[in-house]
Amino acid sequence: QVQPVESGGGLVQPGGSLRLSCAGSGVTLDYRAIAWFRQAPGKEREGVSCISSSGGSTYYADSVKGRFTISRDNAKATVYLQMNYLKPEDTAVYFCATVVFCSGFGPKQSDVDSWGRGTQVTVSS
């Protein structure tokens, strides 16, 4: 089973940027659809973005549309989530996951094959 591994989280001021990376452990991700979820304290885990295995289809939740960009470099077997204009409400643990497909309605937890362990993103002044 492919185990995604996230990196790139940290502390950033409001309005700042971070880039999260998701790579596979042992097996490459280059033939998998990938989704990013996030979970803030006391809240349910929500699907933020996803990208198809080819990179031709993407999805963004309304809360991040226009600020976040998902991309993939299949040569490096890595998926990225570029997060710009970060807000305090973006503070959460961000999880990368392999999913059955990237739906135009957004990723659902029931679509997940494998979860990463998560990386903390904190937006605070």
Side-chain angles (χ1 to χ4, degrees):
Q1 189 178 24
V2 177
Q3 176 69 55
V5 178
E6 307 93 340
S7 61
L11 173 65
V12 64
Q13 292 186 343
S17 298
L18 281 175
R19 187 176 78 161
L20 304 183
S21 298
C22 174
S25 174
V27 182
T28 64
L29 300 178
D30 58 352
Y31 58 97
R32 303 275 183 159
I34 301 295
W36 286 96
F37 293 79
R38 68 184 181 186
Q39 188 165 20
K43 294 189 176 181
E44 293 188 358
R45 193 171 296 188
E46 62 170 343
V48 174
S49 181
C50 63
I51 187 167
S52 63
S53 58
S54 68
S57 297
T58 58
Y59 164 88
Y60 299 96
D62 287 344
S63 58
V64 306
K65 200 172 293 182
R67 300 187 298 120
F68 290 12
T69 303
I70 192 170
S71 62
R72 66 189 305 150
D73 183 341
N74 282 346
K76 296 182 179 179
T78 301
V79 172
Y80 303 99
L81 185 68
Q82 178 67 44
M83 306 185 296
N84 298 328
Y85 306 107
L86 283 161
K87 305 175 181 180
E89 50 263 44
D90 294 317
T91 296
V93 178
Y94 283 71
F95 298 89
C96 176
T98 60
V99 290
V100 176
F101 57 90
C102 177
S103 166
F105 297 100
K108 298 178 294 185
Q109 295 191 52
S110 58
D111 295 332
V112 173
D113 289 324
S114 182
W115 290 99
R117 293 186 176 184
T119 185
Q120 177 70 46
V121 171
T122 302
V123 185
S124 175
S125 55

